[in-house]
């Protein structure tokens, strides 16, 4: 299981040296003056008073307080007894922490020797057939679907997120949606077909309805567990694949163009072709979408067969530099057997991973629900999570991309398979400086 | 002998994004049957004889001419999609 984000902060390493000074972080970096005299501090050095904004080291040593105006941070020569007065300063103070002494990390001449010893020990153990110490930690229990939520929704911590994608437009470009599906009754759905000769975005395949459900399904479905991430997002359904599941660039690019023009912050594309080279029109589309505030997430591909030693490769459009590629995880958070591995070329990386094995979501009526696997199922998890982060932080385009990778839970799986790891939902306080400092 | 028709995606450079329509008409003059002019992306899609690629690439503002890829999902009853 993943620890909730409210878990106790890790203990500071014992013996960390402090200087006796305090580091004060203000709630904002505004120009509001600080009444230092209230804390008995005089002789304030402000970075704005020095040429080129640089405070000389000597001035810093002598000053009662050194203010780094651009950062909203001050280093103050104050004992613990004065800390209370600093907290009471007129300008809101976020935190007061002892100034730490940092050292160059020590060189360890014995490291090489120890590495050699460990290597020999490892080889000996392998030859003897014994398990290598430390190589295989006990597996955590796998996630499981419960009556309340699918395993994937639990794994990405959508269940504990206060964010719902409210005010965010999410486009799902796929085989369409079952427009009469009861789980989407009452939702704002804008649907358009880009398939030649097909007027309605009604889904006659199922794939698009499944992906739309994962990205945008309701917080409390009328029947069964929760399976959707961004329950209040505004849904844009672009049918770019026929009911037979096929489509070409013309319709797909038209769908991207429509989604960007409609201000969709996130565009989910659980589709791809098994070509190992980036396709220039998708690279251009991805870049221009990012520039206009739309992030495209795409399935890495299912062309691996890992049990038989085939690792596959990230196909188009996911292998464009400007498009976020999503790999699939199973309930143990290990790489799904079919999930494609990174290509060794720019853009060919798997950027992040998400639940993609035994994923329950919506299916055209009368089936209502279906449980299937694929990087296609992982992708809309990430699209929904991107909508939550867009709502929480206001970030768009590449900033939103960076936020998703930064917020990913690192996994012990190879980065060529899972990139930055499992994308997680923003929790209470995410997106604000105060929230960050609580979690840090 | 007439070359068979192929489906192309034509990518337009940053300098010609505001003149997509004139790029599209130049592509028509070079034998392309333009289907869509995608204004927010700077991409033009359509059909042209397969051997027309070099002349399409020669149109000012065009950075890339690529035969369209085709996507095919597995059937609805497949366990991996």
């Amino acid at each position: 299981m993943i620890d909730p984000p409210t878990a106790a902060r890790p203990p500071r390493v014992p013996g960390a040296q402090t200087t006796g000074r305090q580091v004060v972080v203000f709630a904002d970096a505004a120009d509001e003056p600080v009444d230092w005299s209230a804390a008995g501090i005089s002789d304030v050095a402000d970075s704005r008073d020095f040429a080129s904004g640089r405070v000389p080291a000597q001035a810093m040593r002598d000053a009662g307080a050194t203010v780094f105006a651009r950062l909203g941070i001050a280093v103050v020569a104050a004992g613990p007894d004065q800390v209370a007065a600093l907290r009471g300063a007129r300008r809101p103070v976020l935190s007061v922490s002892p100034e730490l002494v940092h050292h160059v990390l020590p060189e360890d001449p014995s490291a090489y020797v120890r590495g050699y010893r460990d290597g020999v020990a490892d080889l000996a153990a392998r030859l003897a057939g014994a398990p290598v110490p430390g190589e295989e930690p006990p597996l955590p229990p796998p996630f499981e679907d419960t009556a309340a939520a699918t395993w994937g929704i639990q794994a990405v911590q959508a269940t504990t997120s206060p964010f719902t994608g409210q005010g965010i437009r999410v486009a799902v470009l796929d085989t369409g949606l079952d427009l009469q599906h009861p789980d989407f009754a009452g939702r704002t759905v804008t649907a358009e077909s880009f398939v030649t000769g097909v007027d309605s975005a009604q889904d006659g395949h199922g794939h698009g309805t499944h992906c739309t459900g994962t990205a945008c399904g309701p917080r409390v479905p009328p029947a069964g567990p929760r399976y959707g991430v961004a329950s209040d997002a505004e849904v844009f359904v672009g049918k770019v694949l026929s009911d037979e599941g096929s489509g070409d660039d013309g319709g797909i690019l038209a769908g991207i163009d429509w989604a960007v023009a409609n201000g969709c912050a996130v565009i989910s594309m659980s589709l791809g072709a098994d070509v190992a080279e980036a396709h220039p029109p998708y690279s251009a589309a991805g870049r221009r979408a990012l520039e206009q505030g739309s992030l495209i997430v795409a399935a890495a591909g299912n062309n691996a067969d890992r049990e038989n030693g085939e690792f596959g490769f990230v196909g188009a459009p996911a292998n464009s530099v400007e498009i976020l590629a999503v790999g699939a995880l199973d309930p143990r958070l290990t790489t799904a057997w079919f999930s494609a591995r990174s290509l060794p070329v720019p853009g060919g990386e798997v950027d992040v991973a998400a639940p993609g094995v035994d994923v329950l979501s919506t299916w055209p009526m009368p089936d209502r629900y279906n449980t299937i696997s694929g990087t296609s199922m992982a992708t809309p998890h990430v699209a929904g999570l991107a909508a939550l982060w867009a709502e929480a932080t206001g970030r768009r385009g590449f900033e939103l991309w960076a936020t998703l990778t930064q917020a990913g839970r690192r996994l012990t799986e190879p980065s060529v398979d899972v990139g930055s790891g499992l994308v997680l939902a923003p929790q209470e306080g995410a997106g604000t400086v105060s929230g960050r400092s609580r979690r840090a | 002998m007439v070359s068979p028709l192929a489906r192309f995606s034509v990518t337009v450079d940053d300098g010609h994004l505001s003149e997509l329509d004139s790029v599209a008409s130049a592509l028509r003059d070079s034998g392309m049957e333009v289907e869509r002019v995608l204004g927010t992306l700077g991409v033009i899609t359509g059909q042209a004889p397969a051997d027309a690629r070099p002349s399409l690439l020669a149109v000012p503002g065009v950075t890339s001419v690529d035969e369209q890829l085709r996507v095919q999902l597995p059937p609805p009853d497949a366990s991996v999609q």
Side-chain angles (χ1 to χ4, degrees):
Chain A
M1 284 290 290
I2 297 172
D3 291 327
T6 50
R9 65 179 63 189
R12 178 167 287 150
V13 178
Q17 282 177 267
T18 58
T19 63
R21 294 188 292 193
Q22 309 295 320
V23 181
V24 181
V25 180
F26 297 100
D28 51 63
D31 270 353
E32 183 83 11
V34 174
D35 184 8
W36 294 103
S37 61
I41 293 161
S42 57
D43 193 14
V44 177
D46 192 313
S47 61
R48 284 168 295 196
D49 298 336
F50 294 88
S52 70
R54 177 186 149 270
V55 184
Q58 187 59 45
M60 220 182 130
R61 266 195 295 279
D62 297 343
T66 306
V67 180
F68 303 105
R70 282 175 200 79
L71 305 180
I73 291 176
V75 179
V76 184
D81 53 323
Q82 280 170 278
V83 167
L86 290 172
R87 283 197 179 277
R90 199 161 37 138
R91 207 171 140 193
V93 170
L94 267 187
S95 67
V96 180
S97 334
E99 186 186 30
L100 301 179
V101 179
H102 298 267
H103 301 280
V104 172
L105 296 174
E107 278 189 34
D108 182 357
S110 65
Y112 174 79
V113 176
R114 278 192 282 110
Y116 182 80
R117 180 199 66 195
D118 292 348
V120 171
D122 174 82
L123 179 64
R126 280 173 195 272
L127 290 174
V132 179
E135 192 187 52
E136 287 178 31
L139 288 171
F143 284 94
E144 287 175 6
D145 287 0
T146 65
T150 61
W151 79 263
I153 291 298
Q154 299 168 57
V156 302
Q157 300 179 358
T159 44
T160 52
S161 175
F163 300 100
T164 59
Q166 179 89 47
I168 306 298
R169 293 180 167 187
V170 175
V172 180
L173 306 182
D174 210 288
T175 58
L177 172 70
D178 179 2
L179 299 166
Q180 275 72 51
H181 201 287
D183 287 26
F184 282 92
R187 289 287 290 280
T188 304
V189 176
T190 305
E192 195 82 49
S193 170
F194 300 93
V195 177
T196 307
V198 177
D199 291 335
S200 165
Q202 178 64 28
D203 182 11
H205 182 287
H207 190 270
T209 298
H210 201 274
C211 292
T212 308
T214 300
C216 302
R219 199 171 182 82
V220 183
R226 178 179 173 186
Y227 53 84
V229 178
S231 55
D232 285 327
E234 200 181 324
V235 187
F236 279 69
V237 172
K239 184 178 176 75
V240 301
L241 304 177
S242 71
D243 289 347
E244 290 69 47
S246 64
D248 51 29
D249 288 355
I252 295 164
L253 290 164
I256 298 173
D257 191 79
W258 168 77
V260 174
N262 278 286
C264 294
V266 190
I267 301 173
S268 186
M269 303 207 312
S270 291
L271 52 84
D274 285 341
V275 295
E277 297 80 33
H279 195 48
Y282 286 122
S283 300
R287 179 165 64 84
R288 287 168 180 158
L290 283 175
E291 286 167 0
Q292 293 170 75
S294 298
L295 171 65
I296 303 177
V297 300
N302 302 333
N303 58 20
D305 183 3
R306 290 164 180 268
E307 280 144 9
N308 291 306
E310 300 283 338
F311 293 93
F313 60 87
V314 178
N319 61 13
S320 281
V321 172
E322 303 81 357
I323 292 178
L324 187 90
V326 183
L329 300 172
D330 67 19
R332 287 196 182 271
L333 303 186
T334 55
T335 310
W337 62 268
F338 50 78
S339 189
R341 176 165 278 187
S342 296
L343 279 167
V345 295
E349 307 85 12
V350 175
D351 294 298
V352 294
V357 172
D358 296 337
V359 175
L360 179 145
S361 184
T362 35
W363 200 255
M365 297 301 279
D367 296 287
R368 192 163 187 168
Y369 301 114
N370 192 10
T371 300
I372 48 177
S373 303
T375 53
S376 283
M377 283 64 247
T379 301
H381 277 102
V382 174
L385 293 163
L388 304 191
W389 281 104
E391 178 197 7
T393 63
R395 294 175 193 153
R396 297 290 184 275
F398 196 74
E399 265 201 324
L400 182 57
W401 176 320
T403 301
L404 291 177
T405 55
Q406 193 179 38
R409 179 193 167 191
R410 271 52 180 172
L411 303 173
T412 51
E413 294 291 287
S415 67
V416 286
D417 294 327
V418 300
S420 301
L422 171 67
V423 182
L424 297 180
Q427 303 298 316
E428 186 68 46
T432 63
V433 170
S434 55
R436 287 181 151 267
S437 86
R438 260 208 307 278
R439 282 184 297 149
Chain B
M1 173 147 170
V2 180
S3 177
L5 284 180
R7 302 179 62 77
F8 286 107
S9 296
V10 177
T11 306
V12 177
D13 67 26
D14 289 349
H16 289 76
L17 290 180
S18 56
E19 309 154 41
L20 275 187
D21 287 333
S22 55
V23 175
S25 77
L27 289 169
R28 284 191 194 93
D29 293 343
S30 301
M32 182 168 173
E33 187 187 309
V34 172
E35 283 166 8
R36 291 182 172 106
V37 179
L38 304 173
T40 64
L41 303 183
V43 176
I44 296 167
T45 59
Q47 300 187 77
D51 61 5
R53 193 171 174 275
S55 55
L56 300 179
L57 201 49
V59 168
V62 170
T63 62
S64 182
V65 177
D66 300 277
E67 267 206 60
Q68 292 194 15
L69 298 177
R70 191 150 186 82
V71 169
Q72 178 64 58
L73 296 178
D77 59 357
S79 63
V80 175
Q81 305 238 352

